[in-house]
Amino acid sequence: MFKRLIFFAFIFISVNVFAQKSFHQYDSITLVQLENQDWKKLIATGKEAVKEKKDFYYLYYRMGAAFYNLEKFRKAEFYFEKAFQFNHYDDGLKESLYRTMKLNEFYDEAYRFSKTFSDSLKIKTATDKLTFVNQLDASFAMNKPDSASYSQEGIQNYPLFSKYFFGVGLNHRVGRGISLFHHYSGTSLNTTLYKFYQSHYFLEANIPLINHYTVQPSFGFISQKTTFTNSQVTPVSNSYYVLSLNLKKSIPLFDFTVSGSVSDFYSLNQFQFDGGIKFYPLSNIKISIGAEYLGLSQQNSNYQSGFTLSTSYKPFSFLRFNASYFKGDSLYNQNTENGFVLNNNSALLKSRWIAGCSVFLPHKINLDFMYGIDSKVYFGYDLYTSAYLGAINYHYNYFSTSFKINF
């Protein structure tokens, strides 16, 4: 009996050993599959070789090329990077990896990687002389109040007026691999009782680290001034700051983000934090689905929170659609990446729908359009006596447009 077990074990081991392919066989098979453009079979063969620990430079390079030709650019980048670990000198691989990074919109990572290029490859990829300023933008937005309901009669005379935003921005590089975004925005509100103006300077750095980590520290300085039609009321001027830090990690199918910010809006210390995940089901930027949780802890106030669901779809190279939905008991203040503080007022945001599109024109010109609907609640007080007047539940129609040119 024991001899039979030894015999069958020997047969089993022998079959598996002879079934495994050698490095040379995997090299030959994947080369033929590459020449025949049989991308799916090449990927399957490559995964089999990796599982059997028969990986080598050309295997990963060919797998990257297969995913690239299937337009799965995030996976292509992963395998090109694996190949780069075997060979740091192949200009063909470096060019493929650089162009894939740009297709995945990892621009700062791509320019940092160009440090490794030879002079001829820098000329070929137009990275020999990078422009200092790589983006200019201008934007306009308007909040217009819509339907409203009042909790009591005393607040029905409280005015709701349109609010206007404008902004200009500039993005520039700091060497190869770091970029700084400067943005100035103004907010104007003109009512029968008072005039309000806000200016906001926003600075954000984008710093790619190793292994697809990115850190984004930012600083905002906000100045506000309110003047009243009643000359006996003294004008009010205030200034506030916002400091934030965002950490992002990217893998082939997901982006993960964690961020936090502190501010002193309305002389109250605030800490805002959020965590988000974005899924790329096609392993490229054509479709993305995201979810984000946001919380706000404010001095002498209840904890506030909310969540955002978002999606984007790019059916053509020149067009992308975007949509998002926010729901929660927050926020009085909400910071956004483009430098606007969209909700820094005394009305409490309850929900927000946003839909829009981005149009990519020739000469690296982008046009962005966005329409949104905010649901808010305002707890009103008399401007002169501070007496509580009641609450207003109302909607804001939000529209914005921006123009960007890239260099």
Side-chain angles (χ1 to χ4, degrees):
M1 182 65 180
F2 180 73
K3 292 182 177 180
R4 287 185 179 181
L5 290 175
I6 295 294
F7 174 75
F8 284 119
F10 175 78
I11 295 297
F12 177 78
I13 294 171
S14 300
V15 168
N16 279 273
V17 168
F18 287 110
Q20 291 183 352
K21 301 179 181 67
S22 65
F23 283 95
H24 178 73
Q25 287 174 306
Y26 279 120
D27 186 22
S28 300
I29 293 171
T30 54
L31 178 58
V32 172
Q33 290 169 337
L34 178 72
E35 293 173 344
N36 293 335
Q37 299 184 7
D38 199 343
W39 309 125
K40 292 183 178 180
K41 286 187 178 180
L42 195 162
I43 292 168
T45 304
K47 289 182 177 179
E48 179 184 311
V50 172
K51 186 178 180 180
E52 295 182 4
K53 298 183 179 180
K54 300 290 178 61
D55 54 338
F56 51 95
Y57 169 65
Y58 285 111
L59 180 77
Y60 286 124
Y61 196 170
R62 292 162 188 167
M63 291 178 73
F67 278 114
Y68 187 97
N69 282 279
L70 292 173
E71 297 187 351
K72 297 181 181 294
F73 301 119
R74 290 176 71 98
K75 286 189 176 181
E77 183 176 342
F78 173 80
Y79 285 102
F80 283 145
E81 288 176 340
K82 286 283 189 180
F84 186 70
Q85 293 175 9
F86 283 82
N87 186 334
H88 287 64
Y89 305 102
D90 189 334
D91 275 359
L93 170 63
K94 290 181 180 181
E95 181 181 356
S96 298
L97 181 50
Y98 168 78
R99 298 194 185 281
T100 307
M101 286 179 175
K102 294 189 69 176
L103 287 169
N104 289 327
E105 297 185 350
F106 297 145
Y107 297 112
D108 286 324
E109 287 191 35
Y111 292 125
R112 184 187 63 180
F113 181 61
S114 70
K115 292 179 181 179
T116 67
F117 290 2
S118 63
D119 292 340
S120 59
L121 184 56
K122 285 180 179 179
I123 294 173
K124 185 177 181 181
T125 56
T127 57
D128 52 330
K129 295 181 180 179
L130 296 178
T131 57
F132 177 68
V133 176
N134 60 311
Q135 185 185 88
L136 297 173
D137 71 77
S139 51
F140 172 80
M142 179 180 69
N143 272 357
K144 183 178 181 181
D146 196 357
S147 58
S149 61
Y150 304 88
S151 65
Q152 56 194 63
E153 186 176 348
I155 201 172
Q156 290 186 7
N157 294 324
Y158 195 90
L160 294 174
F161 293 89
S162 298
K163 183 183 290 187
Y164 299 92
F165 304 81
F166 71 90
V168 290
L170 176 151
N171 198 88
H172 68 86
R173 299 185 179 93
V174 180
R176 291 178 183 263
I178 298 177
S179 63
L180 295 179
F181 177 59
H182 304 262
H183 191 275
Y184 174 83
S185 65
T187 303
S188 175
L189 176 63
N190 191 357
T191 78
T192 56
L193 299 178
Y194 62 91
K195 294 181 179 179
F196 170 83
Y197 183 79
Q198 171 185 284
S199 61
H200 178 202
Y201 170 72
F202 175 81
L203 172 64
E204 181 181 66
N206 189 75
I207 308 171
L209 307 176
I210 61 173
N211 298 325
H212 289 293
Y213 281 97
T214 302
V215 62
Q216 296 172 305
S218 67
F219 165 76
F221 179 77
I222 295 170
S223 176
Q224 297 177 342
K225 184 175 183 180
T226 305
T227 59
F228 301 92
T229 54
N230 185 341
S231 59
Q232 296 181 352
V233 180
T234 305
V236 177
S237 297
N238 294 295
S239 59
Y240 310 105
Y241 70 87
V242 181
L243 299 173
S244 65
L245 182 67
N246 180 70
L247 179 64
K248 177 181 175 182
K249 166 66 175 176
S250 298
I251 60 176
L253 291 179
F254 294 93
D255 287 338
F256 302 94
T257 57
V258 177
S259 63
S261 66
V262 294
S263 63
D264 67 339
F265 278 117
Y266 310 114
S267 301
L268 297 174
N269 295 322
Q270 299 176 352
F271 174 67
Q272 179 178 306
F273 65 93
D274 60 81
I277 182 172
K278 186 173 287 187
F279 173 48
Y280 300 87
L282 302 181
S283 190
N284 56 35
I285 61 171
K286 187 172 184 178
I287 297 176
S288 69
I289 302 168
E292 182 179 15
Y293 173 82
L294 189 149
L296 174 67
S297 177
Q298 182 171 277
Q299 179 183 347
N300 302 324
S301 180
N302 294 329
Y303 176 79
Q304 298 169 302
S305 63
F307 68 90
T308 298
L309 300 176
S310 62
T311 185
S312 70
Y313 175 52
K314 191 175 183 181
F316 311 106
S317 60
F318 62 88
L319 182 64
R320 174 186 288 157
F321 296 103
N322 309 290
S324 66
Y325 172 68
F326 169 85
K327 178 67 176 178
D329 57 9
S330 133
L331 298 164
Y332 284 107
N333 304 303
Q334 185 173 6
N335 308 316
T336 61
E337 291 182 359
N338 67 353
F340 281 130
V341 180
L342 289 178
N343 197 50
N344 59 324
N345 56 40
S346 52
L348 184 67
L349 178 65
K350 306 294 286 186
S351 66
R352 170 176 286 155
W353 289 93
I354 294 178
C357 67
S358 300
V359 182
F360 305 94
L361 302 176
H363 307 295
K364 298 183 179 180
I365 295 174
N366 299 352
L367 297 177
D368 295 294
F369 304 94
M370 184 169 69
Y371 175 76
I373 300 175
D374 288 359
S375 177
K376 296 184 176 182
V377 58
Y378 176 80
F379 302 101
Y381 295 86
D382 187 275
L383 291 173
Y384 309 123
T385 66
S386 298
Y388 178 66
L389 301 176
I392 308 175
N393 290 282
Y394 64 101
H395 292 88
Y396 255 127
N397 293 319
Y398 175 77
F399 172 79
S400 74
T401 181
S402 66
F403 169 89
K404 298 177 183 177
I405 181 166
N406 301 284
F407 304 98

